[in-house]
Amino acid sequence: MSEILNKLSGQGVAIWLDDISRERLRTGNLEQLIREKNVVGVTSNPTIFANALSKGDAYDTQLHDLAVRGVEVGEAVRAITTYDIRWAADVLRPVYDASGGVDGRVSLEVDPRLARDSEKTIAEARALWWLVDRPNLMIKIPATVEGLPAITQALSEGISVNVTLIFSLERYRAVMDAWLAGLEAAQAKGLNLATIESVASFFVSRVDTEIDKRLDKLGKPELKGKAGIANARLAYAAFEEVMNSERWQRLRGAGARPQRPLWASTGVKNPEYSDTMYVDQLVAPGTVNTMPEKTLDATADHANVTGDTVRPFYEQAWNTMAALKDAGVDYDDVVKVLEDEGVDKFEASWNELLESVTKNLVP
C-alpha cells in the first residue's frame, strides 16, 4: 500500500474511485485497488458508462441476450448498468460491513434527461434502488432546483443518495436542507436513520476551468487555479455550520450520520497545475475524494499530504473569492453555466450510451 494514501485515509478522507467498467470488475482490478490503493467506494456517471461500453468485448454477451429477447433500449441500458453496479456493490460489501455502512458504497445516477423533472427523478430513483437491491447502493440525483424535492423524498423512503453536480455555495446549503428534511421525514415514518447514507458531490476542477477562461479575458492570470479549491473550502465551512446546528444534533441523537462532502471532478484539466492539487489541498476529516484512476495513481506516487488543508484556510478562501469578484468574475453566472453544462454533458453521454446500445440490439 502507498504510504501517502495511508496518510490520506488517516486524515479522515475516504478514497473512492471515479470509474467503473465490466472489464475492471471481471479482471479483479477493483479488488486490487481496494487492497492496494485504499479504495473504499465507487462512483459512476453516464460518461463513465458510455466510455466503458465503447471499449472491448465485456458487454457483448449481455447485449446479444438483450437483443434476442427484444428488450427496449432504455431497459437494456438499465440492465447493463445495474449489472455492473450490483457486481461492484458485492465486491465492496466487505468494506461496507467493516465500516458499519459508511463506506463500501457504489453510486448509480438517474437518467440525466430527468434532471429538471422532480416526479420522474424520484420514480427513477425508486426503480434503480429496487433493481440493484443492495444496501450499499447510492442513487445519484443532480442538485438542480427540481432535484431538491426528489432528494428529500428519496431519503424519506430510506434510499441512500449521492447528490451530484453541486457547484455553488447557495445550492449546497439548499442540498443540506433537503437532506435534513428527508431524514426528518424518515424519522417520522419510524425508519432506521443509521441505514440512510448520503454524500454531497461538490465539483472542483470544472470551477477552475470556467473561471480561468474568464480571468484570461479579464487580464487577471494571477488569480487562475485558485477558485475551485477556495469554493470547496467554503463549502466545508458551510458543512461545519450545519453540523453545529440544533436541527442536525437532534437527528444525530436519533442515529443519523452526516452527509459527507464529496470532492468530485478532481482530475486536473490544466497541465500547468499540480496533478494532485484537488486532493492534497482539500484534506479534511469526514470527507470523500472520488478520483479517476490517473489521479489516484498520481496521489499514491507524489501527493503532499501534511494534514488538514481546508479549515486553516477559510480566511484565505474568502479573500480569493472577494478578489475574483473585484476582478469582474460573476460567480452566480459561473455556477449557473456550470450546472447547465453539467446536465447537458451527462445527457449527451446518456444519448451516446443509448445510441451504442441501440446499434448492438441486433440479434
Side-chain angles (χ1 to χ4, degrees):
M1 281 192 180
S2 159
E3 182 183 345
I4 296 171
L5 293 177
N6 283 339
K7 282 184 181 179
L8 189 61
S9 299
Q11 291 292 327
V13 179
I15 300 168
W16 290 10
L17 177 70
D18 192 25
D19 189 58
I20 192 170
S21 69
R22 195 159 302 175
E23 185 67 20
R24 190 184 290 282
L25 290 163
R26 73 179 185 180
T27 60
N29 174 260
L30 180 58
E31 286 111 320
Q32 183 181 4
L33 292 176
I34 293 167
R35 286 194 312 271
E36 299 177 4
K37 294 286 179 68
N38 293 43
V39 168
V40 294
V42 166
T43 49
S44 69
N45 61 47
T47 302
I48 286 170
F49 276 117
N51 184 55
L53 209 70
S54 70
K55 297 177 180 176
D57 60 359
Y59 297 92
D60 288 359
T61 299
Q62 188 181 16
L63 282 164
H64 173 75
D65 290 348
L66 290 165
V68 169
R69 290 169 52 214
V71 175
E72 181 268 332
V73 63
E75 289 306 315
V77 168
R78 285 191 187 89
I80 291 163
T81 56
T82 56
Y83 186 100
D84 283 2
I85 295 296
R86 272 193 300 275
W87 192 342
D90 290 343
V91 170
L92 280 156
R93 184 59 187 264
V95 176
Y96 170 83
D97 291 337
S99 67
V102 175
D103 284 308
R105 295 281 177 169
V106 185
S107 297
L108 176 61
E109 189 153 350
V110 298
D111 182 338
R113 296 173 300 176
L114 310 179
R116 307 294 183 188
D117 189 315
S118 305
E119 188 174 2
K120 288 183 179 178
T121 293
I122 186 58
E124 183 76 359
R126 290 183 185 123
L128 294 175
W129 186 255
W130 176 82
L131 273 169
V132 174
D133 192 27
R134 297 292 188 274
N136 49 334
L137 173 67
M138 278 184 164
I139 301 297
K140 289 180 84 171
I141 297 176
T144 56
V145 170
E146 298 84 357
L148 295 173
I151 292 161
T152 296
Q153 185 62 35
L155 291 164
S156 78
E157 297 177 16
I159 297 172
S160 293
V161 174
N162 177 340
V163 184
T164 188
L165 289 178
I166 308 173
F167 298 97
S168 82
L169 297 170
E170 180 183 7
R171 186 61 54 81
Y172 178 43
R173 291 188 180 95
V175 164
M176 289 190 285
D177 186 68
W179 160 67
L180 291 168
L183 290 183
E184 287 162 349
Q187 183 183 24
K189 294 176 183 177
L191 300 184
N192 180 2
L193 299 187
T195 66
I196 308 171
E197 194 72 20
S198 185
V199 294
S201 295
F202 205 86
F203 280 54
V204 188
S205 68
R206 293 190 194 182
V207 174
D208 276 334
T209 300
E210 179 62 28
I211 288 182
D212 283 1
K213 286 191 300 184
R214 300 185 183 211
L215 289 169
D216 281 334
K217 291 178 182 178
L218 292 165
K220 294 286 184 177
E222 68 275 10
L223 293 174
K224 289 172 64 176
K226 297 180 179 180
I229 289 169
N231 199 40
R233 285 170 172 167
L234 295 179
Y236 194 84
F239 164 73
E240 285 199 308
E241 287 177 19
V242 170
M243 290 300 98
N244 289 323
S245 69
E246 289 184 14
R247 187 180 182 190
W248 163 244
Q249 292 303 323
R250 285 194 297 270
L251 288 164
R252 182 183 179 187
R257 291 193 263 217
Q259 181 189 59
R260 288 181 292 174
L262 179 151
W263 311 130
S265 182
T266 57
V268 176
K269 309 293 193 294
N270 189 331
E272 295 178 8
Y273 301 157
S274 162
D275 56 0
T276 63
M277 64 185 284
Y278 300 125
V279 179
D280 50 33
Q281 294 301 304
L282 290 173
V283 176
T287 57
V288 178
N289 196 307
T290 185
M291 311 178 202
E293 190 168 13
K294 183 178 178 181
T295 303
L296 177 64
D297 289 343
T299 300
D301 182 64
H302 56 261
N304 184 27
V305 178
T306 57
D308 188 336
T309 51
V310 173
R311 290 179 294 184
F313 298 99
Y314 287 158
E315 184 177 358
Q316 183 186 96
W318 281 118
N319 290 339
T320 295
M321 301 309 284
L324 289 166
K325 183 178 180 180
D326 290 343
V329 174
D330 185 339
Y331 178 83
D332 290 339
D333 184 66
V334 166
V335 295
K336 182 184 185 304
V337 166
L338 287 171
E339 180 180 299
D340 291 343
E341 283 184 355
V343 172
D344 289 346
K345 285 177 182 176
F346 281 164
E347 187 171 330
S349 295
W350 190 262
N351 288 330
E352 180 186 336
L353 187 58
L354 291 172
E355 289 170 14
S356 178
V357 171
T358 299
K359 290 176 185 175
N360 285 281
L361 287 182
V362 180

